[in-house]
Amino acid sequence: MSAESVIRLPHNWTPRDYQKPFWSFLEHGGKRALAIWHRRSGKDEVLLHRMACATQERVGTYWYMLPEASQARKAIWEAINPHTGKRRIDDAFPHGLRATTREQDMMIRFKNGSTFQVVGSDNFNSLVGAPPIGIVFSEWALANPSAWAYLRPILLENGGWAAFNTTPRGRNHAWRMFRAHEGDEDWFTEVLSADRSGVFSPEALHTEAAEYRAEYGEAEGKARFDQEYLCSFEAGVPGAYYADFIRRAEEEGRITRVPWDPQIEVVTAWDLGYSDSTAIWFAQVTGREIRLIDYYENAGQGLDHYVKAIRERPYLYHSHILPHDVEVHELGTGKSRLETLQALGLGAAIKVCPNLPLDDGIQAARAILPRIVFDTKRTEKGLDALRLYHRDWDPVARAFKQKPRHDWTSHAADAFRYLAIGLDERAGRSHRQTELSYDERNRRDLDSLDGTVLIKGYDELDW
């Protein structure tokens, strides 16, 4: 083989000084790494080149994962390096190493048998093929944390590695991961802000901060700049619906360990997924206080799975709040999900949620948030979703969009909205509710008003 035909990796690239510790850790066999770096720091560039090297060092499957598959195509697969004018994947993965490139699947198969694929954490459990031995979780703070919980045992079994990069999005799962592994010799962890990396001059940062304030307003602009460039975990998520309420709950000590009280019945509120996740909140109401004691979410399961999940818990249930579309008949079976759940034994305790406008439901959720106490462990994933549930910014209209972004946070947020509506008796008066008549296990007295069944005890709340 001539010297001209030799392909050296990393290909036509050298890490910058501040990138070298991160690069060196992975190059020398580090298995877990978390880089919380500022915007435009080159964190994806580092990991694309590192993954290119890894594909030639050990034959296997490698995934580059972003929060959503559509985002992955735009940000990684089709992204152009402004310095070279070529796609970033073409810079990192020279064509001379490849056997095939499948544009539709965003996959490269190499001559040595390894594969590289760009994927989304929104469908991690539906990906097929050999299990990965190397994974990058890009924009980890926005990704579904269930992806890591699902994939971690696979890497543990095959000796694989995982690297995470992100900018902060409040105190969510990325923040907890950093706190848990900071100082752990088996992990590389770093928070790198723009005033430390040297990528931008102080003058450039000052100008950027001013432009953020001009674009988004004083408070919103500062929050965005602090988050994106100073890597602040304290800045609110732009466009978040509930983040301020949850931060207030943290300050007031309402995110804590909440023991289950066997003397108080439990109400569940569901968001029923069709092709994606189903989410369930578990609440106990005592006086004005609403205690969220548990949260459960899964995907790709039938309704019998979720009925089994709630019955395996030791709770005594009062009612199960279901979305209005539970009554819609499915084309395949001709039955509604309500009928299926009734056949599974929940029908006696089902309360169908009114079909209120989305904005009204969000306002109902905001109204009950000051009365809620969250269990810090059992509702952790649901809390992360509520913190991140947001609407995107429309740069053309220079305003936030009217509807929330639909992503992994939507399931928990929708179930929470149904909980708020279902607990609000005033909303219930304008809508027919499924009549409740409890079986022997969940039999309780009911009060009825204007054809609406009210949950006994809730009418004493001062809504």
Side-chain angles (χ1 to χ4, degrees):
M1 180 180 293
S2 66
E4 290 77 12
S5 65
V6 173
I7 298 174
R8 300 188 183 278
L9 297 177
H11 185 60
N12 295 332
W13 179 84
T14 302
R16 306 170 202 171
D17 286 345
Y18 68 86
Q19 296 171 339
K20 287 179 180 177
F22 186 26
W23 176 269
S24 179
F25 177 85
L26 293 171
E27 184 181 36
H28 290 92
K31 299 292 188 183
R32 304 288 184 267
L34 171 61
I36 300 175
W37 286 6
H38 66 84
R39 190 64 59 206
R40 309 304 302 171
S41 59
K43 47 189 178 290
D44 280 313
E45 187 176 43
V46 171
L47 289 171
L48 279 171
H49 283 281
R50 181 57 226 152
M51 189 162 270
C53 295
T55 62
Q56 305 307 302
E57 294 164 356
R58 180 184 174 188
V59 176
T61 299
Y62 296 84
W63 288 349
Y64 208 98
M65 182 173 285
L66 269 78
E68 299 176 21
S70 58
Q71 176 190 18
R73 179 172 293 279
K74 184 182 298 185
I76 299 297
W77 189 257
E78 297 176 348
I80 302 296
N81 184 339
H83 302 294
T84 66
K86 299 195 305 186
R87 290 198 300 183
R88 291 189 181 276
I89 60 166
D90 294 334
D91 282 335
F93 304 96
H95 283 272
L97 297 175
R98 306 184 194 182
T100 58
T101 301
R102 292 160 52 180
E103 294 288 339
Q104 175 109 11
D105 299 324
M106 296 187 286
M107 175 184 284
I108 297 171
R109 183 174 298 279
F110 299 96
K111 293 176 181 177
N112 72 342
S114 287
T115 62
F116 163 85
Q117 188 171 14
V118 180
V119 299
S121 67
D122 53 344
N123 65 342
F124 64 89
N125 55 355
S126 64
L127 296 169
V128 297
I133 61 173
I135 309 174
V136 168
F137 293 87
S138 185
E139 294 297 346
W140 171 236
L142 293 173
N144 186 345
S146 294
W148 177 230
Y150 179 86
L151 295 167
R152 184 175 60 238
I154 295 174
L155 298 183
L156 185 64
E157 188 275 331
N158 64 28
W161 59 272
F164 305 79
N165 77 57
T166 193
T167 50
R169 287 296 186 275
R171 295 191 173 192
N172 66 355
H173 56 275
W175 175 77
R176 285 197 303 276
M177 177 181 280
F178 176 77
R179 290 291 300 272
H181 299 292
E182 185 180 16
D184 186 339
E185 63 181 15
D186 293 328
W187 278 71
F188 174 91
T189 57
E190 183 179 39
V191 175
L192 182 67
S193 57
D195 55 356
R196 289 180 47 227
S197 69
V199 173
F200 304 100
S201 68
E203 294 77 17
L205 288 175
H206 179 78
T207 300
E208 187 72 1
E211 291 183 358
Y212 265 71
R213 293 194 298 272
E215 175 72 15
Y216 301 107
E218 190 67 30
E220 181 76 18
K222 182 180 185 306
R224 282 177 175 261
F225 178 81
D226 288 353
Q227 180 176 265
E228 299 290 332
Y229 287 92
L230 301 184
C231 292
S232 170
F233 289 103
E234 306 306 320
V237 178
Y241 288 97
Y242 306 129
D244 287 344
F245 291 90
I246 294 174
R247 183 166 58 249
R248 196 176 310 151
E250 287 178 316
E251 293 168 353
E252 295 173 358
R254 290 186 287 111
I255 299 179
T256 182
R257 293 311 304 269
V258 183
W260 162 58
D261 187 340
Q263 303 304 312
I264 302 175
E265 295 167 313
V266 172
V267 176
T268 69
W270 303 41
D271 174 56
L272 291 171
Y274 287 84
S275 60
D276 49 15
S277 296
T278 288
I280 307 173
W281 288 97
F282 297 76
Q284 290 187 304
V285 180
T286 173
R288 286 176 52 85
E289 186 174 82
I290 303 169
R291 301 173 185 171
L292 292 188
I293 61 169
D294 206 344
Y295 175 81
Y296 182 73
E297 182 177 325
N298 211 323
Q301 304 291 336
L303 290 176
D304 56 330
H305 170 88
Y306 300 102
V307 172
K308 182 174 182 288
I310 66 172
R311 283 181 169 165
E312 286 176 344
R313 287 161 165 78
Y315 313 144
L316 177 65
Y317 293 102
H318 185 289
S319 59
H320 306 289
I321 301 170
L322 277 296
H324 65 93
D325 58 3
V326 73
E327 296 178 305
V328 175
H329 287 76
E330 298 177 321
L331 293 177
T333 64
K335 290 185 176 181
S336 68
R337 290 191 157 196
L338 176 60
E339 290 171 323
T340 302
L341 288 168
Q342 288 171 335
L344 290 169
L346 289 193
I350 289 175
K351 179 179 181 181
V352 178
C353 194
N355 184 16
L356 296 185
L358 176 64
D359 288 346
D360 289 352
I362 289 173
Q363 289 305 317
R366 285 171 164 165
I368 69 168
L369 270 164
R371 298 183 173 92
I372 290 182
V373 182
F374 294 89
D375 186 271
T376 188
K377 292 296 183 184
R378 293 193 298 272
T379 69
E380 184 176 82
K381 183 179 179 181
L383 261 173
D384 282 345
L386 294 183
R387 286 188 181 98
L388 282 177
Y389 185 60
H390 70 287
R391 48 185 176 167
D392 288 327
W393 178 262
D394 186 338
V396 177
R398 293 174 60 84
F400 287 108
K401 295 179 180 179
Q402 293 299 310
K403 300 298 182 184
R405 181 184 183 89
H406 183 77
D407 58 15
W408 70 271
T409 67
S410 303
H411 314 296
D414 287 347
F416 185 79
R417 178 161 49 90
Y418 300 140
L419 176 69
I421 296 171
L423 293 184
D424 188 342
E425 67 181 48
R426 294 173 304 174
R429 287 175 184 162
S430 63
H431 185 81
R432 177 187 61 79
Q433 301 286 345
T434 298
E435 184 176 55
L436 308 182
S437 58
Y438 292 98
D439 56 21
E440 288 301 317
R441 181 170 180 268
N442 286 325
R443 186 175 302 279
R444 287 298 180 267
D445 293 331
L446 301 172
D447 290 337
S448 181
L449 178 63
D450 297 333
T452 297
V453 178
L454 305 180
I455 301 175
K456 188 177 180 69
Y458 292 170
D459 52 334
E460 65 191 36
L461 298 181
D462 180 17
W463 298 109

